[in-house]
Amino acid sequence: MNYGFFALMFRMKHIDRWALMRCNAKENLAEHSLEVAIIANALANIGNTYFNKNYSSDRIALKALFHDATEIMTGDLPTPIKYYNSDIRNAYATVEKCAQDKVLSLLPQELIEKYEDAFILDEDEKILIKAADKLCAYIKCANEVRSGNIEFSHAAKTTKSAIEAFDCQELKYFCKHFLEAFFEPLDNISL
């Protein structure tokens, strides 16, 4: 039998994000997942280094790579719709669970439990991956605004407020020490 799990994962690059917005720089699910994994791994390392945490930074990076993998099946449902009310939020959670089950069914039975873990987050993992996801959204929105795309003005403000309100000391540390560089020209970053 030929299994489709990995081929499906490679289709992340075909799922566009920010579907309701006009983007100056397109972003796909594969790019987003990589960026969230990089930031989530950094947050875990910051927690371990500066805040006496005991995160598995490699495990968090892996889980961040798969955090939106179900969107290969469902597409990227825009945040204002996904969180409009509890009925929609609950219905979408059911859709995501069905998509997750379908994605995992594309593996041989012996491998399902190896990959199933990548889709199951404990509370610390949820917090760090959500923080990384929000931060990546903010960086995207802020860069769109900086490139002259006022379409992202409201999203930049709301995601910045969400980051500032987020109760995560690792995120606060990251923003204080690393965020500004995301808005600098390459020469300023590398010199």
Side-chain angles (χ1 to χ4, degrees), residues 153-168:
S153 297
H154 179 72
K157 286 177 189 161
T158 58
T159 55
K160 183 177 184 184
S161 293
I163 288 167
E164 290 169 349
F166 210 97
D167 185 22
C168 177

Side-chain angles (χ1 to χ4, degrees), residues 33-48 55-65 67 124-133 135-136 170 174:
S33 296
L34 173 63
E35 291 173 356
V36 171
I38 290 168
I39 301 292
N41 179 264
L43 296 177
N45 285 322
I46 287 166
N48 293 342
Y55 299 127
S56 171
S57 58
D58 295 344
R59 179 181 160 113
I60 288 172
L62 174 68
K63 290 182 177 209
L65 284 172
H67 83 283
D124 287 337
E125 292 164 345
K126 281 180 190 173
I127 290 167
L128 293 183
I129 292 170
K130 185 66 173 174
D133 193 40
L135 183 56
C136 288
E170 296 86 354
F174 188 96

Side-chain angles (χ1 to χ4, degrees), residues 9-23:
M9 292 303 111
F10 272 54
R11 297 190 64 78
M12 283 187 183
K13 63 182 165 265
H14 301 300
I15 309 301
D16 290 331
R17 293 183 43 81
W18 304 98
L20 296 180
M21 313 282 270
R22 179 186 57 78
C23 298

Side-chain angles (χ1 to χ4, degrees), residues 47 50 60 81 88 92 95 103 107 109 131 137-138 141 152 176:
Y50 300 109
I60 288 172
I81 297 167
I88 293 173
Y92 192 70
V95 169
V103 166
L107 284 164
Q109 188 62 43
Y138 172 67
C141 293
F152 278 80
K176 181 177 180 182

Side-chain angles (χ1 to χ4, degrees), residues 72-120:
I72 298 164
M73 307 287 281
T74 66
D76 179 28
L77 188 64
T79 297
I81 297 167
K82 190 186 299 187
Y83 298 107
Y84 180 73
N85 66 34
S86 61
D87 290 339
I88 293 173
R89 194 169 34 258
N90 293 336
Y92 192 70
T94 301
V95 169
E96 283 182 319
K97 177 63 174 134
C98 289
Q100 176 184 318
D101 292 346
K102 177 60 180 169
V103 166
L104 289 169
S105 78
L106 300 175
L107 284 164
Q109 188 62 43
E110 302 81 15
L111 288 178
I112 289 175
E113 72 180 44
K114 304 287 185 198
Y115 285 89
E116 188 174 42
D117 184 58
F119 293 86
I120 300 168

